[in-house]
């Protein structure tokens, strides 16, 4: 048992433990204003990043990648099973799936957008300040500022969108608009467009788990709003901290390789000034 | 002298005298100096740009501050230089450049922190970064030799900035740059976060933890913070060896000190040490001016047409040379 855990079990130090966010928490931390304090590092543990819809296991996108990069199976996270695409939009999803090796923005290290950033296989950190809530995603060092009780609208579209939030009891409800429609929803080609409105709900299930739902409305591609639902898990390692996943170098050959000087190769670990 | 220059000048004089003046349009409501959990409240959006050059002009010797007359002449010269940069003739190669004014990126259009210092560097006393040690010069030459003649072969040969990996001036120590020279500070119990407009979010724990012993190389290094009275002290080490910041090595260590000095202003002080690069540590200081503004998303790699243009331009030049 770690010393942090012992201190937490000492009872009198509960608040101290909660404030530090170290280890497994015994009680739901609350901010000075009484709302849950969602601060901490969280991660989804799911195959949603492969495919939001139910899916059997499958071959990797390149056969040479072998079994360790094959697609693991999942029951899906869409309420009711499948995404209510309009017919042409489903055909577009299928086209994207066929071209995913070239076209998935994740392969290019592009920002993940919302909700995809939440369930990519990387941790993210919520920082709850007195006014706003910040989310920092390890993937591509993505960043969102969430305006609690904010009323403003996006001045222009962006990858991570514009987030206004409100508290509904212990649930943080975030309305996301102003996304540029260039992101995907998963590695299977599921997508929404720049007219999408995403409503996220972060509800504590206890001190170490959140229920995450995201309702996606986009009349350009869906016949009705639809919802995904999954738990998020607090990373309880003591002194855990996000490390950088700055993925630009890993995408350079994919994006710019065709512009390389003929006969030269990408020197692994090449450095420049 | 334009109004903006006059205002700038007045603020510089007031700043050095330690008197708070509010800049038109940017004055802040009086706010509680402490957060709800009892530490100094440094949160806000700040302009990093300041008039003082990083290093002091050699002819000024040990003179730490401009006289008002010297400042006026220095500022006039700087503004003229900036204006001159924008005056290129249409249809010439020189005219193909970022026109900062078009996007309100010119350093004359953002918020500039008042400063009568003759340099950001304050130690050593000549206001200049100490010379590189021989080992550092050798490192720098080895890097240059490895690139020589291959600078345009592929994306990995280009600078970290062109590659959208990092802007060196957003790494600790943060230094003003030509545009988007802004940052935002957020606070939460046990955490301070600094987000540069073109930088990565730096999550700085202030919960008493120390820097880990075995640091994993990070482009932004690994930071821990602590409060010393009203000052946030941040220690950062563990930089990526390919950063080569000003010739330094991965042993670079940076101490930053942030202190609110008036309602609109933080003082940002820093010390850089790397015994593999400089014989002595060196330090700098400059003000950060709070703005009533929002930082917008800086998606660099997503819009990096520059890299494709640089490489395709190099291929075109090679083809032309071969003909």
């Amino acid at each position: 048992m770690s010393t942090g855990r012992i201190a937490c079990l000492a009872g009198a130090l509960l608040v101290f433990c909660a404030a530090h966010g170290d280890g497994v928490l015994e009680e739901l931390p609350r901010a000075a204003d009484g709302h849950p304090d969602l601060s901490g590092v969280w991660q989804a543990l799911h195959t949603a990043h492969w495919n939001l819809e139910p899916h059997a296991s499958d071959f990797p996108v390149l056969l040479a990648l072998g079994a360790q990069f094959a697609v693991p199976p999942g029951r899906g996270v869409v309420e009711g099973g499948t995404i209510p695409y309009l017919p042409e939009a489903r055909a577009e999803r299928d086209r994207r799936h066929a071209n995913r090796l070239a076209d998935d923005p994740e392969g290019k290290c592009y920002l993940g957008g919302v909700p995809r950033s939440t369930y990519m296989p990387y941790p993210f950190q919520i920082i709850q300040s007195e006014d706003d809530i910040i989310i920092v995603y390890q993937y591509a060092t993505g960043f969102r500022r969430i305006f609690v009780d904010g009323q403003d609208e996006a001045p222009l579209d962006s990858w991570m969108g514009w987030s206004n939030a409100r508290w509904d009891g212990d649930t943080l409800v975030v309305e996301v608009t102003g996304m540029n429609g260039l992101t995907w929803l998963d590695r299977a080609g599921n997508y929404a467009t720049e007219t999408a409105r995403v409503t996220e709900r972060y509800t504590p299930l206890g001190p170490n788990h959140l229920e995450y739902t995201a309702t996606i409305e986009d009349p350009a591609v869906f016949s009705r709003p639809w919802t995904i639902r999954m738990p998020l898990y607090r990373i309880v390692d003591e002194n855990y901290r996000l490390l950088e996943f700055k993925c630009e170098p890993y995408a350079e050959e994919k994006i710019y390789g065709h512009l390389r000087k003929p006969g030269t190769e990408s020197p692994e670990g090449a450095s420049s000034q | 002298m334009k109004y903006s220059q006059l205002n700038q000048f007045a603020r510089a004089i007031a700043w050095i005298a330690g008197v708070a003046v509010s800049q038109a349009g940017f004055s802040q409501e009086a706010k509680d100096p402490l957060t709800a959990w009892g530490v100094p409240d440094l949160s806000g959006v700040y302009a990093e740009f300041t008039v003082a050059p990083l290093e002091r002009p050699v002819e000024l010797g040990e003179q730490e501050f401009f006289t008002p007359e010297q400042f006026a002449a220095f500022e006039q010269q700087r503004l003229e230089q900036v204006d001159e940069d924008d005056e290129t003739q249409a249809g010439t190669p020189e005219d193909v450049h970022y026109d900062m004014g078009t996007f309100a990126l010119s350093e004359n259009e953002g918020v500039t922190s008042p400063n009568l210092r003759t340099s950001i560097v304050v130690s050593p006393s000549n206001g200049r970064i100490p010379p590189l040690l021989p080992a550092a010069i050798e490192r720098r030459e080895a890097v240059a030799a490895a690139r020589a003649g291959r600078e345009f072969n592929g994306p990995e040969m280009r600078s970290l900035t062109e590659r959208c990996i990092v802007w060196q001036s957003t790494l600790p120590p943060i230094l003003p740059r030509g545009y988007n020279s802004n940052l935002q500070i957020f606070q939460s119990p046990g955490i301070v976060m600094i987000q540069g407009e073109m930088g990565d979010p730096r999550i700085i724990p202030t919960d008493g933890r120390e820097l880990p012993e075995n640091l994993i190389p990070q482009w932004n290094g690994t930071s821990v913070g602590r409060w010393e009275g009203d000052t946030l002290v941040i220690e950062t080490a563990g930089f990526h060896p390919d950063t080569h910041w000003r010739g330094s090595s991965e042993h670079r260590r940076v101490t930053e000190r942030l202190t609110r000095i008036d309602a609109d202003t933080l003082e940002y002080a820093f010390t850089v040490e790397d015994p593999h690069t400089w014989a002595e540590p060196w330090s700098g200081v400059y003000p950060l001016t709070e703005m009533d503004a929002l930082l917008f998303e800086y998606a660099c790699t997503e819009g990096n047409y520059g890299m494709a243009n640089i490489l395709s331009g190099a291929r075109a030049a090679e083809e032309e040379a071969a003909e």
Side-chain angles (χ1 to χ4, degrees):
Chain A
M1 186 182 279
S2 69
T3 50
R5 173 101 167 168
I6 291 167
C8 290
L9 293 177
L13 291 169
L14 264 173
V15 175
F16 173 86
C17 299
H20 283 236
D22 285 346
V24 178
L25 301 191
E26 304 292 326
E27 272 189 12
L28 177 65
R30 291 195 178 267
D33 58 13
H35 294 303
D37 184 351
L38 305 180
S39 294
V41 184
W42 305 90
Q43 188 165 352
L45 181 59
H46 215 281
T47 62
H49 62 285
W50 285 103
N51 192 340
L52 294 173
E53 295 187 320
H55 57 279
S57 63
D58 204 349
F59 288 95
V61 67
L62 279 178
L63 291 181
L65 292 173
Q68 77 268 44
F69 295 106
V71 179
R75 291 188 172 277
V77 292
V78 180
E79 284 184 357
T82 56
I83 299 170
Y85 281 111
L86 297 170
E88 319 84 70
R90 180 168 292 278
E92 167 64 13
R93 191 280 307 270
D94 293 345
R95 192 191 65 76
R96 292 183 184 214
H97 181 264
N99 296 328
R100 64 195 182 283
L101 178 60
D103 292 347
D104 184 347
E106 184 186 359
K108 302 173 191 171
C109 182
Y110 289 176
L111 288 166
V114 183
R116 188 180 188 182
S117 295
T118 311
Y119 47 81
M120 291 178 88
Y122 302 90
F124 62 88
Q125 185 158 357
I126 298 179
I127 298 167
Q128 192 162 324
S129 77
E130 279 181 272
D131 303 316
D132 301 329
I133 295 175
I134 306 302
I135 306 184
V136 176
Y137 301 91
Q138 182 178 66
Y139 170 76
T141 50
F143 171 84
R144 286 167 75 191
R145 180 176 177 185
I146 296 170
F147 298 94
V148 178
D149 297 326
Q151 303 291 329
D152 292 335
E153 291 187 3
L156 70 166
D157 287 353
S158 61
W159 289 79
M160 300 302 288
W162 186 270
S163 296
N164 287 333
R166 64 179 191 279
W167 287 98
D168 176 8
D170 279 352
T171 299
L172 181 73
V173 183
V174 190
E175 301 278 353
V176 191
T177 53
M179 285 189 284
N180 63 14
L182 297 173
T183 58
W184 287 18
L185 295 175
D186 58 24
R187 293 175 178 170
N190 287 307
Y191 74 105
T193 73
E194 72 276 11
T195 49
R197 166 181 284 268
V198 177
T199 305
E200 301 175 283
R201 298 176 69 89
Y202 297 81
T203 307
L205 295 170
N208 302 298
H209 302 85
L210 300 176
E211 180 185 69
Y212 178 77
T213 68
T215 299
I216 303 168
E217 302 171 62
D218 187 353
V221 276
F222 307 121
S223 60
R224 56 175 172 79
W226 55 283
T227 299
I228 58 172
R229 180 185 302 274
M230 69 190 76
L232 300 173
Y233 300 85
R234 184 189 294 280
I235 294 189
V236 298
D237 307 32
E238 273 193 278
N239 291 323
Y240 184 88
R241 52 190 300 166
L242 285 188
L243 293 169
E244 293 173 346
F245 182 64
K246 293 184 65 65
C247 46
E248 291 86 356
Y250 319 130
E252 284 180 333
E253 196 59 28
K254 182 185 186 76
I255 301 174
Y256 307 113
H258 64 293
L259 297 171
R260 167 177 298 289
K261 183 174 184 177
T264 66
E265 282 180 29
S266 173
E268 196 176 336
S271 62
S272 56
Q273 180 61 22
Chain B
M1 191 182 268
K2 292 181 207 162
Y3 168 76
S4 61
Q5 289 168 257
L6 265 174
N7 191 30
Q8 157 80 18
F9 183 67
R11 277 174 62 82
I13 299 288
W15 185 71
I16 197 165
V19 179
V21 287
S22 75
Q23 188 177 33
F26 295 112
S27 62
Q28 300 292 310
E29 290 168 33
K31 64 182 193 183
D32 194 323
L34 298 181
T35 62
W37 55 97
V39 299
D41 189 349
L42 305 180
S43 63
V45 177
Y46 299 90
E48 300 157 346
F49 195 75
T50 191
V51 179
L54 177 62
E55 294 188 275
R56 185 178 307 152
V58 177
E59 62 272 18
L60 291 177
E62 303 276 314
Q63 186 187 330
E64 220 176 325
F65 296 97
F66 287 116
T67 65
E69 295 76 26
Q70 281 176 321
F71 178 82
F74 178 81
E75 177 63 352
Q76 186 62 32
Q77 188 186 13
R78 189 185 71 85
L79 291 172
E80 279 170 11
Q81 268 174 2
V82 172
D83 285 344
E84 202 170 279
D85 288 345
D86 282 348
E87 286 167 13
T88 46
Q89 195 181 341
T92 63
E94 293 71 35
D95 195 45
V96 183
H97 64 89
Y98 283 113
D99 186 349
M100 300 305 181
T102 305
F103 304 105
L105 290 172
S106 160
E107 54 194 54
N108 293 340
E109 295 178 52
V111 173
T112 298
S113 296
N115 198 348
L116 281 183
R117 286 194 177 276
T118 53
S119 58
I120 289 174
V121 175
V122 293
S123 174
S125 62
N126 67 355
R128 300 188 66 82
I129 300 169
L132 293 178
L133 292 170
I137 295 173
E138 275 176 38
R139 271 200 318 270
R140 175 173 264 186
E141 286 173 351
V143 170
R147 292 187 71 217
R150 304 162 60 216
E151 295 90 338
F152 296 96
N153 279 9
E156 70 286 349
M157 302 311 295
R158 306 307 307 159
S159 73
L160 298 177
T161 301
E162 286 177 14
R163 298 168 70 190
C164 288
I165 298 174
V166 285
W167 283 76
Q168 302 271 12
S169 60
T170 65
L171 305 179
I174 299 160
L175 290 171
R177 70 202 68 85
Y179 60 88
N180 292 346
S181 202
N182 308 306
L183 60 79
Q184 181 152 22
I185 300 174
F186 296 97
Q187 286 174 255
S188 179
I191 286 178
V192 176
M193 198 194 85
I194 303 178
Q195 166 83 33
E197 181 162 357
M198 298 198 293
D200 298 310
R202 284 175 62 199
I203 300 171
I204 302 158
T206 55
D207 56 3
R209 75 178 77 180
E210 311 259 327
L211 278 177
E213 281 184 15
N214 298 311
L215 290 168
I216 294 172
Q218 302 281 285
W219 293 105
N220 291 276
T222 298
S223 300
V224 292
R226 65 179 187 273
W227 295 98
E228 286 184 3
D230 291 341
T231 299
L232 173 66
V233 182
I234 308 166
E235 305 275 359
T236 306
F239 290 99
H240 197 292
D242 289 348
T243 313
H244 303 309
W245 183 84
R246 294 189 173 269
S248 65
S249 73
E250 67 268 35
H251 302 292
R252 172 164 56 110
R253 200 179 172 96
V254 179
T255 306
E256 298 159 282
R257 304 177 71 89
L258 276 162
T259 313
R260 182 173 292 284
I261 55 174
D262 68 42
D264 293 335
T265 314
L266 302 187
E267 180 184 83
Y268 177 78
F270 63 88
T271 298
V272 184
E273 52 194 304
D274 179 0
H276 297 258
T277 304
W278 299 289
E280 54 179 329
W282 56 278
S283 303
V285 63
Y286 64 94
L288 301 171
T289 301
E290 190 157 5
M291 308 186 285
D292 183 13
L294 291 174
L295 297 193
F296 198 68
E297 176 179 277
Y298 180 70
C300 184
T301 202
E302 292 79 356
N304 193 358
Y305 305 108
M307 177 62 83
N309 291 338
I310 288 165
L311 296 178
S312 60
R315 302 295 82 83
E318 285 159 5
E319 277 180 33
E320 202 172 285
E323 280 170 11

